[in-house]
Amino acid sequence: MDAATARMRLESVLAELDRSIAVLRGDPSVRDRSGPDGGSVLTETDRDRALLEAAVQHRRAVVEAMARLDGGRYGLCVDCAATVPEGRLQARPEAERCVPCQSRRERRR
């Protein structure tokens, strides 16, 4: 993926994440959060908290990918420096690891 395309995709993902984070944080300019009854508030709050944390982590990964792009390291695995496959970057432009390194990391968890 060329740098201009990668930057455009990363900026698009970042903008969408910023909108999602604003909604999950209850920004009244983005979404009216009135309406749920008392019993559903806790469930909705827990769900929103989990979604917010996931969105914040995803945003962090996108910002880090943009830094790698600026530093000329985009598309290289952060663990072994192998080229991250084009298809992986198409699916997840913020991907920081090649498939073997990502698999090893997930098995260690």
Side-chain angles (χ1 to χ4, degrees):
M1 176 180 318
D2 67 85
T5 301
R7 181 170 305 283
M8 183 178 68
R9 294 202 55 205
L10 289 166
E11 287 175 350
S12 174
V13 171
L14 189 61
E16 183 60 34
L17 286 166
D18 285 342
R19 281 190 294 278
S20 295
I21 290 168
V23 167
L24 291 167
R25 284 186 173 151
D27 185 336
S29 68
V30 179
R31 178 179 83 170
D32 178 59
R33 295 184 50 94
S34 63
D37 61 44
S40 67
V41 171
L42 180 59
T43 302
E44 182 177 339
T45 300
D46 291 342
R47 180 186 57 81
D48 286 354
R49 187 174 298 126
L51 290 170
L52 176 59
E53 179 59 30
V56 167
Q57 287 177 1
H58 191 185
R59 185 184 192 287
R60 188 176 304 122
V62 170
V63 170
E64 289 170 359
M66 292 177 82
R68 288 191 306 277
L69 183 62
D70 292 339
R73 298 177 321 276
Y74 182 77
L76 299 176
C77 178
V78 297
D79 291 340
C80 70
T83 300
V84 177
E86 181 75 20
R88 182 161 171 75
L89 292 173
Q90 288 290 334
R92 297 189 54 89
E94 73 281 2
E96 64 182 354
R97 290 181 173 80
C98 63
V99 175
C101 287
Q102 185 65 40
S103 295
R104 279 192 296 275
R105 184 167 199 247
E106 289 172 358
R107 281 194 303 267
R108 282 186 261 150
R109 287 186 190 178

